[in-house]
Amino acid sequence: MYRRFAFIGFSLLAVMLLWTACKDDVTTTGESILDENDAIIVLADTFSISSAVDSCDAIISQADSFLLGEIETDYGVLRASVLTQLACPEGYTYPEGFTVDSICLFMYYSSWVGDDKSPLAINAYLMDKNTFRYNSTYPTDLNIDDYCTRSKSILTNHRIVVASEKRDSIRNTNGQYIPMVRMRVNDDFMQDFASITNFESQDKFNEQFKGLLLETSFGSATMLNISDVALGVFYHFQYNKAGKDTTVSDMKAFYANSEVRTVNQLVYRDKKEWVETLQQDSDTYNYIIAPAGVYTRLRIPMEQITDKIFTRTELKRPYVNKAEIRVSVMNMDPDNNDRNDWLLPSSHMLLIKEKSMTRFFKNRELPSDTCALLGQLTQGVDSVGDAIYYYSYDMSDFLTNQLRKEENDSILNMLLVPVTINTTTTNTSANAVTSVRQQQTISATKIRSAKNGMKLEIVYSGF
């Protein structure tokens, strides 16, 4: 028995000595091959960033749906009007001998905010001065007087609308309720529009019919989210069938679709004053308000980051392995039942270089590691189990690209911008982003300021 234990102990000792010898050989061999100047360095630093509320005069109007009405919020009074062209049914011809019986303007809305029982009056005017160019972009503060004289309404009477009523509304084939407003046009406009029979091209149609203006004449408690606008021409014609004259009634629709331009004019009353009030709170909270064009600017100390990474460590080619900015959202209280409980944070928030913002939206670009990062409103749990909400931005590739530049600004200004996105399913991604546009529906996002707990922690490496 003693001999067996002695043999086992000797064997273990031999293995340990052999392993140690091999380990020393490998370590020594590695060090002998690797130049000390090429050793991988991994470091971490924390940088302070600053934030503040700022605003622009207008955003670019590129929405799928449009606001109409007037409403008072905690962030000012918003008034919204819609100017739209109608798509030409290229190649269409009316039947021979047709007679127009009536023309109706149809307006569909997908939702509303505010008081659903408060009436508002809708009116429509002909765009009789100018029209839009399809390939151009238009700001939300455009001057309606440049496009419309408002000399005479095209409706028989302005239309009184209550958002929750079902007077004109219909149900689709799935039984889903679709809110709709039907407005009959007056005889003068009916005769003028019925005289347009040349549908050769959209450009020629725009010369004959420049578009429509939709706006409200009273009501200040409801805002409709318009999803579709169409003009329906109801007509009849006769033809001989089996020796008998037969009358046929039909309708031709002219749509405000993606083939033409629709622009939302948005006006905030006393905007300068209430933005200044928000700015007074910048040390504690910041705000992003849509569609007011009110943003939060983050100031990232690029010169300090660059100096610390390059000078302190003498890295030749640095890589940022981890860098996250987390933006804490403070107005997602599920128990909030005040009158602005519909004024919720944006679902998606873009963090974008301030210098690149105009070009990004004008050219309809997509998020990239060199220009803009997309964040989604996310729910989490804090250390005591309470729900928290935030946007998170992985800055690692973004900062690596910035560090590789020959020149960097001392301070990199970036804006938090509320956006609406479209996605699709591809072979490589279930939710590939296909478009990003400035948000034109109403939202308010209150966040914790940088001074109140926002830091940029960077883990970086290099040779």
Side-chain angles (χ1 to χ4, degrees):
M1 180 69 70
Y2 172 78
R3 289 180 179 178
R4 186 171 67 176
F5 280 116
F7 176 76
I8 293 174
F10 177 79
S11 300
L12 290 174
L13 179 61
V15 170
M16 291 176 65
L17 291 173
L18 180 62
W19 179 84
T20 303
C22 293
K23 178 176 179 293
D24 289 342
D25 288 345
V26 171
T27 304
T28 304
T29 302
E31 289 179 350
S32 64
I33 295 175
L34 185 65
D35 188 284
E36 63 177 2
N37 293 325
D38 292 331
I40 297 176
I41 301 172
V42 179
L43 294 169
D45 282 301
T46 299
F47 300 90
S48 296
I49 58 179
S50 60
S51 63
V53 175
D54 202 353
S55 68
C56 62
D57 294 333
I59 64 176
I60 297 174
S61 183
Q62 291 179 327
D64 288 329
S65 58
F66 300 87
L67 300 177
L68 179 65
E70 183 175 306
I71 192 167
E72 181 179 359
T73 77
D74 287 344
Y75 308 101
V77 177
L78 171 62
R79 178 174 174 80
S81 304
V82 179
L83 296 96
T84 184
Q85 296 173 327
L86 297 179
C88 170
E90 293 186 12
Y92 179 77
T93 56
Y94 287 110
E96 185 177 352
F98 79 101
T99 300
V100 174
D101 302 309
S102 64
I103 297 179
C104 290
L105 179 61
F106 296 91
M107 188 182 71
Y108 301 84
Y109 54 100
S110 57
S111 60
W112 63 85
V113 294
D115 187 351
D116 63 356
K117 296 179 175 57
S118 179
L120 64 156
I122 298 176
N123 221 329
Y125 300 91
L126 188 66
M127 287 171 55
D128 52 1
K129 296 177 71 175
N130 285 303
T131 191
F132 303 127
R133 295 186 298 273
Y134 183 76
N135 292 322
S136 298
T137 57
Y138 296 89
T140 52
D141 66 343
L142 84 171
N143 187 354
I144 290 179
D145 292 339
D146 291 339
Y147 298 89
C148 180
T149 62
R150 295 189 184 91
S151 59
K152 185 178 180 182
S153 170
I154 69 167
L155 304 180
T156 53
N157 293 293
H158 61 242
R159 174 72 161 79
I160 305 298
V161 175
V162 177
S164 60
E165 72 176 6
K166 300 181 181 181
R167 174 176 163 184
D168 295 325
S169 301
I170 58 175
R171 292 188 181 275
N172 61 17
T173 55
N174 297 324
Q176 182 181 7
Y177 167 64
I178 303 176
M180 181 185 74
V181 179
R182 175 174 174 154
M183 297 167 279
R184 184 163 180 169
V185 306
N186 57 43
D187 290 340
D188 289 342
F189 177 79
M190 182 180 72
Q191 293 173 8
D192 290 341
F193 195 81
S195 67
I196 302 174
T197 57
N198 182 357
F199 303 121
E200 178 183 345
S201 69
Q202 185 67 51
D203 289 339
K204 290 188 177 298
F205 181 71
N206 289 344
E207 293 174 0
Q208 302 172 86
F209 177 79
K210 295 180 174 61
L212 294 173
L213 163 68
L214 303 177
E215 64 180 10
T216 56
S217 55
F218 76 81
S220 58
T222 309
M223 183 72 68
L224 303 179
N225 191 13
I226 307 300
S227 57
D228 292 288
V229 175
L231 202 64
V233 179
F234 296 85
Y235 64 91
H236 71 270
F237 63 96
Q238 292 182 337
Y239 74 102
N240 189 280
K241 181 179 181 180
K244 294 184 178 179
D245 289 336
T246 301
T247 300
V248 177
S249 296
D250 204 350
M251 189 269 285
K252 182 60 184 175
F254 297 77
Y255 297 99
N257 57 24
S258 59
E259 298 175 5
V260 295
R261 294 308 308 268
T262 302
V263 177
N264 219 167
Q265 192 221 37
L266 306 172
V267 178
Y268 271 91
R269 190 183 306 162
D270 301 324
K271 179 178 174 180
K272 183 176 183 293
E273 287 76 7
W274 60 261
V275 169
E276 289 176 351
T277 300
L278 296 181
Q279 290 171 333
Q280 294 172 7
D281 198 22
S282 286
D283 284 349
T284 308
Y285 299 110
N286 298 143
Y287 300 84
I288 305 105
I289 313 298
V294 174
Y295 311 124
T296 289
R297 177 184 290 105
L298 301 185
R299 291 167 54 85
I300 299 176
M302 277 309 303
E303 184 176 19
Q304 181 185 358
I305 294 172
T306 302
D307 288 347
K308 198 153 195 177
I309 291 178
F310 282 102
T311 305
R312 175 187 164 198
T313 63
E314 297 182 351
L315 293 178
K316 299 175 183 178
R317 190 169 178 81
Y319 291 86
V320 176
N321 306 102
K322 182 180 179 181
E324 180 189 22
I325 291 181
R326 178 172 288 196
V327 179
S328 299
V329 177
M330 310 306 295
N331 61 323
M332 273 296 292
D333 183 359
D335 298 324
N336 179 21
N337 293 313
D338 66 17
R339 66 187 180 90
N340 281 341
D341 59 354
W342 41 266
L343 205 58
L344 297 174
S346 176
S347 297
H348 293 88
M349 191 74 67
L350 197 71
L351 180 61
I352 184 171
K353 290 181 180 178
E354 186 171 12
K355 288 182 177 180
S356 304
M357 191 174 79
T358 299
R359 185 208 73 221
F360 180 92
F361 290 110
K362 184 176 182 179
N363 296 341
R364 302 176 184 180
E365 298 178 21
L366 295 177
S368 69
D369 291 329
T370 60
C371 174
L373 303 172
L374 184 63
Q376 183 173 352
L377 184 63
T378 303
Q379 180 179 353
V381 178
D382 64 12
S383 59
V384 296
D386 293 334
I388 57 174
Y389 298 87
Y390 59 89
Y391 306 100
S392 180
Y393 302 93
D394 180 0
M395 303 284 291
S396 54
D397 289 340
F398 180 91
L399 289 176
T400 297
N401 288 323
Q402 285 294 127
L403 291 169
R404 301 286 169 77
K405 289 188 171 185
E406 293 184 2
E407 294 184 3
N408 263 307
D409 293 332
S410 173
I411 298 295
L412 177 61
N413 289 313
M414 302 193 74
L415 298 177
L416 287 167
V417 180
V419 293
T420 301
I421 70 169
N422 288 330
T423 61
T424 188
T425 300
T426 66
N427 294 331
T428 58
S429 176
N431 294 297
V433 177
T434 57
S435 70
V436 177
R437 288 170 288 187
Q438 289 170 285
Q439 183 176 331
Q440 273 186 229
T441 52
I442 298 176
S443 76
T445 308
K446 180 180 179 181
I447 65 173
R448 183 178 288 130
S449 71
K451 192 173 183 179
N452 191 27
M454 194 185 303
K455 300 287 185 181
L456 177 58
E457 298 179 354
I458 302 178
V459 177
Y460 53 94
S461 63
F463 298 92

